[in-house]
Amino acid sequence: MLEKINKPEDLKKLNIKEKELLAEDIRKYIIDVVSENGGHLASNLGVVELTIALNSIFDFSKDKIVWDVGHQSYVHKILTGRKEALKNIRKLNGIAGFPKTNESEYDHFNTGHSSTSISAAMGMAKARDIKKENHNVIAVIGDGALTGGMALEALNHVGSSRTKMMIILNDNEMSISKNIGGINMLLSKLRAKKCYTISNKSGRKIIDKIPFVGRGLVKIIQRAKQSIKQLIIPKMYFEDIGFKYLGPVDGHNIEDLQILFNRAKELDEPVLIHVLTKKGKGYKPAEENPDKFHATGSFNKENGMPKAKKVKDYSAAFGENLIRMAEKNEKIVAVTAAMKDGTGLAEFAKKFPNRFFDVGIAEQHAVTFAAGLAKEGMIPFVPIYSSFYQRAYDQVIHDVCMQKLPVIMCVDRSGIVGADGETHQGIFDMSFFKVVPNITIVAPKDFKELQSMMKFAEGFNGPIVLRYPRGGESKEKFNKNENIILGEPEFLKEGKHITIIAIGNQVAKAVRLAERLKENKINAEVINSRFLKPLNEEKIIKSILKTKMVITLEDSTIIGGLGSTIEDIIVRNKLEDIRFKSFAYPDVYVEHGTIDELEELYGLDEESIIKYILKEGVDS
Ligand SMILES: Cc1ncc(C[n+]2csc(CCOP(=O)(O)OP(=O)(O)O)c2C)c(N)n1
């Protein structure tokens, strides 16, 4: 069947049986591709029938669809002309792992971060009404993403607006881990209602009674018997806040989905369709471990085992350290925004269930909640991925730093993360945190320094950002690991020709560069800055005045990071005749690709840096 599908119109020629066969083909194809490229498997396997039904009933060359997070958009990509391109998904120059408006006319809004879909769809629906157009606007959101503050803010707005739009709630009872919280409790009550099989005879009779337009529906339904209540549950939360609630419906029954979408299309108000799906559907390892197959590296299709040997990463090192520290200090607590596994807290959660908090996809709440904990004497560690800390910026400024509260903001996945691309690259945190008063920012060069910095943070008694990258530590063995002293950089190598100042995982690169420069009779001084803020300038100035040439290395945007700190030192102190260059990512959203590929693309790899230094030449 898959061979017959090249554009959405092809889908419309298929009958239900053929669409069911197509669903199987699509599953096989996605498993083939993701087992090679890595990616979001379980969520995509869960939405195959849903996406087929959506593309059958709607015409997304006109109708608009916003996929929340967008990690589940592979099926949509396959059905909308990107079947072949899927083979290069998440690879440099290949298609992205998330919806991209510049990739296809069938993608209407870029996503990657959770819980934005309802707001965006509402904006599009309002614009449609102002322009007097009449297409459909649909947000597809998971039960996990529905726990995010933005989604709840948007529900509040949409429900009371009476705007014609559709929210498809894709409920698989999972965020990345098991979904949590009050919204999940509400959904489990709704789930308990039997899915009404619309496509059987009695079901069809009932659905046929639903008038095509408007509010009359409510009255008829309210008069109807129990069987209809199972299809449309009045006076439940969503109805109370202004939505027409349809469901729950079996998200793997294409015919039922199509019938319901056709009816919902005719309603002239906000509609929420509650669709029940199984994460990982059709692939046993993913059905059994949907959390492991939420986002995966390449794996062996036969048994689901990862192809690459697992190396210990920074998140795991962080989690292990935190357990050791928490055993000795009862005040230590950990907060995650739905990323228990990703941030290395799974063991901590088991060991200290009373001191572990998963607050759902709610970074803003996580940070202010931690501020409350800190205010009352706890020591909260809050690991959140760099790009998701963007969500909690005001909370960091207003709730943590203004009050100088000792919240330890652990910025996981800082720097380039690779295949997830522009929405997930952690290249802004150094810049946006640096401008916040009362903040201290540190980054370790290896696991050992991570441990020292965590100890330092524990006793610091003020707001502190501890940033560390995705993946493992470098193979570099460092000859030093001095005590951490506030603001003090670590001098790793003396030299006289050039000063190389690096931070975090770039320190290993600085050491390697120094080794290679030796072969060219260039003697480099290597400084591990450790701190971005505050940074003791004295020794750095001394080094710069000695070598008269300085480069900085960071896995961050060029505006506002380490390079700009050093440039500022040079300018403010009127250091004359200094040659300076900052190696950092330019002022762009960095696309998907491997770290090595992206470094090369932006001239931040060792070769490019060596080339630059040799071309510049050094003073003898
Ligand atoms: C702001 C933000 N925080 C965290 C994440 C990481 N994340 C990606 S998908 C996901 C779970 C989403 O669950 P759900 O919406 O139910 O979709 P499912 O994968 O179950 O279909 C999380 C936490 C994110 N993308 N954005």
Side-chain angles (χ1 to χ4, degrees):
M1 280 301 145
L2 191 53
E3 274 172 27
K4 295 189 182 166
I5 302 293
N6 293 307
K7 47 192 182 326
E9 295 85 278
D10 300 334
L11 190 61
K12 297 187 171 133
K13 296 174 206 146
L14 304 187
N15 62 32
I16 294 290
K17 268 270 144 300
E18 289 169 325
K19 285 181 190 173
E20 284 166 0
L21 290 173
L22 174 68
E24 290 319 304
D25 285 359
I26 289 177
R27 284 205 166 84
K28 277 194 203 114
Y29 184 45
I30 288 180
I31 294 165
D32 280 347
V33 170
V34 178
S35 63
E36 283 299 318
N37 294 10
H40 289 93
L41 184 72
S43 313
N44 279 292
L45 295 181
V47 297
V48 176
E49 288 83 5
L50 173 61
T51 314
I52 291 176
L54 280 167
N55 273 281
S56 300
I57 300 306
F58 298 97
D59 172 1
F60 293 117
S61 67
K62 293 194 207 86
D63 296 325
K64 314 282 177 199
I65 186 161
V66 184
W67 295 94
D68 207 284
V69 183
H71 61 312
Q72 76 295 55
S73 59
Y74 298 8
V75 189
H76 182 69
K77 291 189 186 225
I78 292 172
L79 296 177
T80 54
R82 287 166 278 178
K83 184 175 66 181
E84 276 308 306
L86 199 84
K87 290 178 183 152
N88 284 321
I89 191 166
R90 292 159 52 88
K91 292 189 170 164
L92 186 70
N93 301 322
I95 62 169
F98 296 90
K100 295 283 172 220
T101 52
N102 62 3
E103 192 180 281
S104 165
E105 57 165 324
Y106 294 97
D107 289 357
H108 303 286
F109 201 82
N110 291 3
T111 49
H113 292 196
S114 172
S115 317
T116 63
S117 63
I118 305 176
S119 304
M122 173 66 165
M124 292 166 137
K126 280 291 180 205
R128 172 203 59 202
D129 294 346
I130 294 167
K131 294 191 286 179
K132 298 199 177 356
E133 294 170 351
N134 63 3
H135 50 264
N136 294 287
V137 181
I138 301 169
V140 183
I141 184 165
D143 55 308
L146 195 67
T147 64
M150 262 191 90
L152 300 175
E153 290 169 28
L155 280 184
N156 185 45
H157 182 199
V158 177
S160 62
S161 76
R162 317 310 304 143
T163 305
K164 176 181 167 66
M165 65 173 271
M166 237 177 266
I167 297 175
I168 311 259
L169 172 58
N170 169 28
D171 182 2
N172 55 24
E173 302 179 45
M174 297 289 293
S175 191
I176 290 180
S177 322
K178 204 100 192 94
N179 203 6
I180 55 97
I183 302 280
N184 186 49
M185 281 157 62
L186 166 81
L187 293 182
S188 59
K189 276 193 196 154
L190 297 178
R191 274 177 218 132
K193 304 268 164 194
K194 213 175 87 208
C195 273
Y196 200 87
T197 310
I198 307 160
S199 42
N200 69 19
K201 223 171 163 192
S202 58
R204 204 182 286 276
K205 255 196 222 154
I206 291 161
I207 196 84
D208 284 347
K209 278 193 199 151
I210 299 175
F212 278 22
V213 184
R215 286 162 182 277
L217 173 69
V218 185
K219 283 189 198 132
I220 290 193
I221 299 303
Q222 277 166 354
R223 267 186 256 119
K225 292 193 182 101
Q226 187 58 28
S227 54
I228 292 191
K229 282 197 190 138
Q230 286 174 348
L231 176 65
I232 297 157
I233 302 162
K235 297 266 177 284
M236 296 293 276
Y237 180 78
F238 293 112
E239 295 265 333
D240 289 345
I241 62 168
F243 285 86
K244 181 68 37 246
Y245 171 90
L246 302 182
V249 58
D250 175 0
H252 301 297
N253 183 327
I254 297 175
E255 190 171 13
D256 279 4
L257 288 167
Q258 290 192 172
I259 294 171
L260 211 53
F261 292 159
N262 261 327
R263 292 298 184 262
K265 212 165 135 172
E266 306 302 333
L267 298 174
D268 210 12
E269 58 193 316
V271 182
L272 186 137
I273 305 176
H274 189 178
V275 178
L276 304 188
T277 60
K278 185 161 183 56
K279 203 159 174 170
K281 171 94 175 161
Y283 182 56
K284 204 156 166 257
E287 282 190 12
E288 285 170 355
N289 289 299
D291 45 353
K292 295 220 161 42
F293 284 91
H294 176 85
T296 171
S298 57
F299 61 92
N300 183 333
K301 267 195 305 186
E302 314 314 320
N303 55 16
M305 295 306 284
K307 279 188 186 161
K309 253 208 1 241
K310 193 164 167 41
V311 289
K312 182 168 161 181
D313 62 10
Y314 270 92
S315 312
F318 166 81
E320 285 171 15
N321 292 340
L322 198 64
I323 289 175
R324 279 197 293 272
M325 291 165 69
E327 276 162 354
K328 294 196 198 109
N329 186 345
E330 288 180 354
K331 289 185 176 161
I332 289 179
V333 293
V335 180
T336 178
M339 304 294 278
K340 181 180 70 180
D341 295 314
T343 58
L345 286 177
E347 274 309 303
F348 186 100
K350 277 190 213 145
K351 272 213 141 98
F352 306 103
N354 296 334
R355 288 150 68 187
F356 166 79
F357 304 95
D358 180 349
V359 299
I361 309 180
E363 289 80 5
Q364 305 179 15
H365 165 62
V367 169
T368 303
F369 167 62
L373 286 163
K375 180 72 181 63
E376 296 306 310
M378 298 291 119
I379 305 176
F381 281 74
V382 191
I384 293 177
Y385 290 7
S386 169
S387 70
F388 306 147
Y389 249 115
Q390 290 162 199
R391 278 280 162 92
Y393 194 39
D394 184 54
Q395 286 68 19
V396 170
I397 295 174
H398 176 270
D399 300 323
V400 176
C401 293
M402 213 177 276
Q403 306 185 70
K404 297 192 186 156
L405 290 172
V407 174
I408 301 163
M409 295 162 280
C410 307
V411 183
D412 195 332
R413 307 298 198 271
S414 66
I416 294 294
V417 299
D420 278 339
E422 58 181 11
T423 52
H424 284 59
Q425 311 291 16
I427 59 172
F428 303 122
D429 62 88
M430 291 217 281
S431 311
F432 67 69
F433 282 137
K434 198 171 85 172
V435 299
V436 181
N438 300 336
I439 213 164
T440 289
I441 306 171
V442 288
K445 65 180 183 294
D446 60 5
F447 288 171
K448 208 159 170 213
E449 201 162 80
L450 173 72
Q451 194 177 356
S452 315
M453 286 178 174
M454 287 174 72
K455 282 300 289 174
F456 176 81
E458 179 188 8
F460 182 60
N461 204 23
I464 183 163
V465 165
L466 168 56
R467 84 186 294 268
Y468 44 89
R470 178 172 187 267
E473 62 179 355
S474 75
K475 291 185 199 76
E476 232 61 50
K477 290 279 163 266
F478 299 99
N479 54 3
K480 280 189 183 169
N481 192 15
E482 292 165 0
N483 285 340
I484 310 286
I485 301 167
L486 182 64
E488 285 301 322
E490 180 187 46
F491 279 66
L492 288 175
K493 182 181 168 305
E494 261 188 57
K496 59 177 184 176
H497 293 128
I498 180 170
T499 302
I500 306 178
I501 310 176
I503 191 160
N505 64 351
Q506 299 299 299
V507 174
K509 194 196 277 175
V511 170
R512 284 195 298 273
L513 284 169
E515 277 303 308
R516 290 184 59 181
L517 288 170
K518 247 193 226 165
E519 293 158 22
N520 292 284
K521 308 231 169 344
I522 296 174
N523 192 356
E525 180 136 307
V526 178
I527 303 175
N528 168 17
S529 109
R530 282 187 162 174
F531 287 79
L532 179 70
K533 185 185 174 183
L535 184 58
N536 190 340
E537 299 182 359
E538 220 174 283
K539 290 181 192 157
I540 288 179
I541 292 174
K542 219 168 136 196
S543 172
I544 295 176
L545 285 177
K546 175 172 64 174
T547 62
K548 295 268 181 186
M549 182 174 181
V550 52
I551 64 166
T552 54
L553 311 182
E554 61 194 304
D555 54 351
S556 170
T557 179
I558 193 150
I559 300 176
L562 178 68
S564 85
T565 296
I566 301 300
E567 196 172 14
D568 180 57
I569 292 175
I570 296 170
V571 174
R572 246 187 316 103
N573 292 284
K574 301 193 175 73
L575 309 184
E576 281 176 9
D577 300 325
I578 308 296
R579 285 184 291 166
F580 165 77
K581 180 156 170 77
S582 163
F583 286 91
Y585 286 90
D587 184 22
V588 297
Y589 292 102
V590 174
E591 61 271 61
H592 49 278
T594 66
I595 294 178
D596 286 347
E597 286 166 344
L598 293 170
E599 284 197 344
E600 200 181 323
L601 188 66
Y602 289 101
L604 307 177
D605 59 315
E606 284 175 36
E607 290 315 314
S608 306
I609 300 172
I610 291 272
K611 228 188 206 165
Y612 164 82
I613 297 170
L614 295 182
K615 189 162 169 239
E616 278 284 310
V618 295
D619 301 333
S620 50

